[in-house]
Amino acid sequence: MRKSPLYLFMLVALTLAFGACKKDDDKSNSEQLVDKNWRMVAFTSDPAINIGGIQFSDLYAQLDDCDKDDLIIFKSGGAVNNDEGPSKCDPSDPQTTTGTWVFNTDETILTVDGESWTILELDDDDLKVKYTGDPFGGGFNTTLTATFKKN
């Protein structure tokens, strides 16, 4: 069966249209990360962490509301701003503190103030990172996973 020229034109047009929708493929991780307000929406530990005899794997649920509205802003050039957001836990704390960030060569490891996180997902709206080690100095390794949304 021979296809009509209109059918072939529609097929090519649809292919080009859907191909043009590749929104993030051409951006580097740096371009997708910088100059956005990132707010944490999830924070987990595997295995669970023992706090006062109780095991917790959902660390985000343990945060105070005044911590859940905090923002992190990665600036080009390697500066990072940590903003207390609309509600501060301690009114005497500064609204913003600064630190540093850097990617490894292939932009798969994000190091913030000396702590290295593996990028699991990064696009214009979502950032998901993982850290494996002994972050709390308790002598055991755990995997922490943090998810951020563009605010």
Side-chain angles (χ1 to χ4, degrees):
M1 177 175 155
R2 187 167 180 242
K3 303 288 184 200
S4 73
L6 180 58
Y7 172 81
L8 292 174
F9 174 76
M10 297 274 296
L11 183 62
V12 169
L14 285 173
T15 301
L16 291 174
F18 284 115
C21 290
K22 296 171 85 177
K23 109 179 170 181
D24 296 330
D25 290 350
D26 296 333
K27 291 184 180 179
S28 70
N29 277 351
S30 292
E31 291 171 314
Q32 293 182 81
L33 183 72
V34 299
D35 295 327
K36 295 180 179 127
N37 294 334
W38 296 101
R39 185 178 52 83
M40 184 185 292
V41 296
F43 188 39
T44 60
S45 175
D46 184 25
I49 295 172
N50 186 330
I51 302 173
I54 301 171
Q55 299 286 85
F56 293 100
S57 59
D58 183 357
L59 302 179
Y60 184 78
Q62 307 312 308
L63 294 175
D64 292 328
D65 288 342
C66 58
D67 289 320
K68 291 179 180 179
D69 69 355
D70 292 359
L71 302 172
I72 186 166
I73 304 110
F74 297 91
K75 299 296 199 176
S76 58
V80 61
N81 293 342
N82 298 294
D83 189 285
E84 288 286 329
S87 61
K88 291 169 51 172
C89 296
D90 182 343
S92 66
D93 284 346
Q95 182 65 39
T96 305
T97 58
T98 58
T100 59
W101 72 274
V102 66
F103 269 129
N104 65 337
T105 305
D106 62 355
E107 297 189 346
T108 58
I109 306 290
L110 174 63
T111 302
V112 180
D113 292 334
E115 191 172 87
S116 295
W117 294 75
T118 302
I119 300 289
L120 299 176
E121 177 184 350
L122 177 56
D123 60 34
D124 279 337
D125 299 310
D126 301 289
L127 168 62
K128 188 173 185 177
V129 294
K130 170 180 86 166
Y131 170 85
T132 301
D134 184 11
F136 305 109
F140 67 95
N141 279 344
T142 188
T143 297
L144 300 176
T145 304
T147 303
F148 299 83
K149 289 280 189 188
K150 183 176 82 170
N151 196 34

